[in-house]
Amino acid sequence: MAAIEFSGARKLYGQSLAIKDIDLALPEGAFVVILGPSGCGKSTLLRMIAGLESISGGELRIHGQRMNEREPKDRGCAMVFQNYALYPHMTVGENIAYPLKVAGVSKDERKARVIEVAQALELGALLERRPGQLSGGQRQRVAMGRAMVRQPKVFLYDEPLSNLDAKLRVQMRLELRRLHEKLGATSLLVTHDQQEGMTLADYLVVMNGGVVEQVGTPREVYEKPATKFVAGFLGAPAMNLLPAVTDPSGRNAVFENGPATVMAGRLEAGRELVVGIRPEHVGEGTLPLTVELVEDLGHAALVHGRLSGGAAVQLVRPVERAPGRGEKIGIGFDPARLHLFDGRTGQRLEAHAVAENHEAVSQPRVTTH
């Protein structure tokens, strides 16, 4: 049974459709990350699960039970917010215990559960402090403790790490994953940070414009993006996405703003395409590229350049082999590394079959970095 299931779910704000007929089933006990840019509807979807936003159409089920009309307190979910939402006049212990106090749990049981949660989060020595005396990471752990003390079946995290510095975000990612493994509850985390998504998730839900573009493991989504949007959103540096059209043979894609071609497999002539290749997969070859900028990333160099027709391309090279600005180099695209998308719909093209022994015009010589 799915832990959380949407069937034709939608959310209207006046005449504006923020969530567009989503069908989504999330497995029990999984850590699911809802990933997407600002305004894509990911926080709205999370708040619909929590009961903080009404559902305009369709159905939400949690552990098989319809939740559309249920109050937030009756859904078995606990939510951790971006701004922590701690009571400044209460101690750490009182903040953690507050949901139990509201629920009418006895004082002795409240105390026992607060101590248990505080030990799990290493907050035992801070129970008498107030939020203003804590660091950002400590406050985040208190917010998590307040959710944990309810012993929910579903944890909902709304960009919980966005207010932390880079080093602390890494530490808290480890904490979140460790807690998930320990508690075994279903966890949903909303973020626009793809690194958080890739490192935390059992499953990624990539959203754009109120719709779900793709659901899969981080590796599946990275290696086989279902749409042009997913291909361009997931990956740092971003995938190169080059508009093209197939030549009369249907076997090669010709870039719209240049004569360069790459092997497209077997497609109809004149098909509008978007050819995608990740910067780390751009090899050496005969396509002329003029270097415009080189970024030293420490472990590697990110090279920005343009093909003779004007198409912008990024590629990754070892720092010691990085070309200089203004230098002309030759690049090639390995057909096995290409991602092809329909130029009109943006959907991945799965039907193309790369013919064996068919040479691309670029004559790629892919090197391993």
Side-chain angles (χ1 to χ4, degrees), residues 62-258:
I62 298 179
H63 296 111
Q65 297 185 24
R66 178 183 167 94
M67 292 289 167
N68 291 44
E69 296 81 21
R70 295 275 188 96
E71 293 294 322
K73 64 183 178 63
D74 299 324
R75 298 192 178 200
C77 301
M79 192 161 181
V80 178
F81 296 92
Q82 180 178 353
N83 62 359
Y84 315 141
L86 302 178
Y87 296 106
H89 64 286
M90 293 183 182
T91 65
V92 168
E94 290 168 341
N95 266 284
I96 294 174
Y98 188 72
L100 302 180
K101 184 177 181 180
V102 172
V105 175
S106 70
K107 188 174 181 179
D108 287 344
E109 185 177 350
R110 290 203 308 264
K111 183 177 180 180
R113 282 164 67 173
V114 166
I115 291 173
E116 181 182 1
V117 167
Q119 288 175 343
L121 293 171
E122 298 181 359
L123 293 171
L126 306 176
L127 289 176
E128 298 304 317
R129 294 191 188 180
R130 299 190 189 278
Q133 299 172 298
L134 305 178
S135 68
Q138 289 168 337
R139 274 179 276 181
Q140 186 58 272
R141 290 207 299 271
V142 175
M144 291 163 58
R146 189 175 54 190
M148 287 171 57
V149 79
R150 294 177 54 194
Q151 298 176 341
K153 294 182 179 179
V154 177
F155 284 92
L156 306 174
Y157 300 98
D158 189 5
E159 303 207 44
L161 310 183
S162 61
N163 291 334
L164 305 178
D165 62 55
K167 183 178 180 181
L168 195 51
R169 278 202 302 271
V170 174
Q171 293 174 352
M172 289 305 298
R173 284 205 301 264
L174 295 174
E175 289 290 329
L176 281 172
R177 190 67 218 192
R178 181 181 64 82
L179 282 170
H180 175 75
E181 300 292 342
K182 181 177 181 178
L183 299 173
T186 304
S187 298
L188 273 75
L189 182 142
V190 158
T191 184
H192 62 273
D193 187 326
Q194 58 174 292
Q195 192 171 26
E196 280 180 25
M198 291 292 290
T199 55
L200 279 172
D202 296 319
Y203 297 96
L204 283 178
V205 177
V206 185
M207 292 189 66
N208 180 39
V211 302
V212 173
E213 296 265 345
Q214 188 171 0
V215 180
T217 67
R219 182 50 49 189
E220 288 169 347
V221 175
Y222 183 83
E223 292 185 345
K224 204 171 184 180
T227 66
K228 182 180 75 170
F229 170 80
V230 176
F233 185 77
L234 203 67
M239 181 184 289
N240 296 296
L241 296 170
L242 307 172
V245 63
T246 54
D247 67 6
S249 73
R251 291 175 176 266
N252 287 295
V254 183
F255 296 146
E256 285 184 352
N257 51 359

Side-chain angles (χ1 to χ4, degrees), residues 291-297 300-304 319 322-326:
V291 177
E292 295 184 330
L293 177 68
V294 179
E295 296 183 69
D296 188 342
L297 305 179
L302 178 61
V303 180
H304 302 259
V319 174
R325 183 178 178 182

Side-chain angles (χ1 to χ4, degrees), residues 348-359:
R348 184 181 186 87
L349 295 176
E350 296 290 3
H352 73 281
V354 178
E356 293 184 5
N357 302 320
H358 180 75
E359 292 188 6

Side-chain angles (χ1 to χ4, degrees), residues 319-333:
V319 174
E320 63 275 12
R321 289 179 44 214
R325 183 178 178 182
E327 187 176 339
K328 294 186 184 299
I329 62 173
I331 64 170
F333 302 148

